[in-house]
Amino acid sequence: MTDRIQSLCDKAGVKVSPVRSLVMRVLLQAESPLCAQDIECRLGTVDRSSITRALALFSDKGLVHTIEDGSGSVKYEICHAAGAHDHHNDLHPHFYCTQCGSTFCFCDTSVPEIALPGGFVPMSLNYIVKGLCPECAAKTKQHN
């Protein structure tokens, strides 16, 4: 894991520090996007401001991308093309469960192309589907 973190950071031009390494490790091990508070809870000993600074740097350098899923907290996930600004391929939809608050990536689902009027240059895309995840839908069905 340490070699992978070093490789990703080197590719993006980010100096590895102990805090950055810890934050990157949490994100690499995560099964879904995490907010700064989630990362803080998993690390326990690192303050949120240090985590936020690391996440801002990672976002700026293309190591992570941000997801605004409507929960009120920006969530972060490792970019599939981490460190390669010109090969950013994280344009995939996300699903936000309105019951449990989890966010899921649908990496194998393509986002429909949006025809923008002339002169507009897209820089990012936030495609969120909201509803119930399978687990919450099953719980809801059991209670009805």
Side-chain angles (χ1 to χ4, degrees), residues 25-133:
R25 184 178 306 276
V26 167
L27 289 169
L28 285 167
Q29 293 172 340
E31 294 179 12
S32 62
L34 302 172
C35 66
Q37 183 177 1
D38 295 333
I39 296 169
E40 181 184 22
C41 289
R42 291 182 186 200
L43 292 176
T45 59
V46 180
D47 65 281
R48 190 173 306 171
S49 62
S50 297
I51 293 167
T52 302
R53 284 192 303 274
L55 291 169
L57 176 65
F58 293 164
S59 180
D60 183 55
K61 296 294 187 174
L63 286 169
V64 300
H65 69 273
T66 59
I67 303 150
E68 297 172 29
D69 61 10
S71 66
S73 296
V74 174
K75 296 191 178 163
Y76 301 85
E77 70 180 337
I78 297 292
C79 285
H80 300 297
H85 290 286
D86 54 336
H87 294 95
H88 202 285
N89 66 351
D90 292 308
L91 297 178
H92 57 266
H94 294 86
F95 185 94
Y96 176 71
C97 180
T98 57
Q99 188 163 325
C100 68
S102 296
T103 300
F104 303 87
C105 295
F106 293 152
C107 295
D108 295 330
T109 304
S110 61
V111 174
E113 188 172 328
I114 299 170
L116 296 174
F120 287 88
V121 179
M123 301 300 282
S124 67
L125 177 70
N126 191 20
Y127 193 91
I128 300 292
V129 178
K130 295 182 181 184
L132 298 177
C133 68

Side-chain angles (χ1 to χ4, degrees), residues 9-21:
C9 288
D10 287 348
K11 186 176 178 182
V14 172
K15 182 180 176 185
V16 178
S17 70
V19 169
R20 292 174 187 165
S21 181

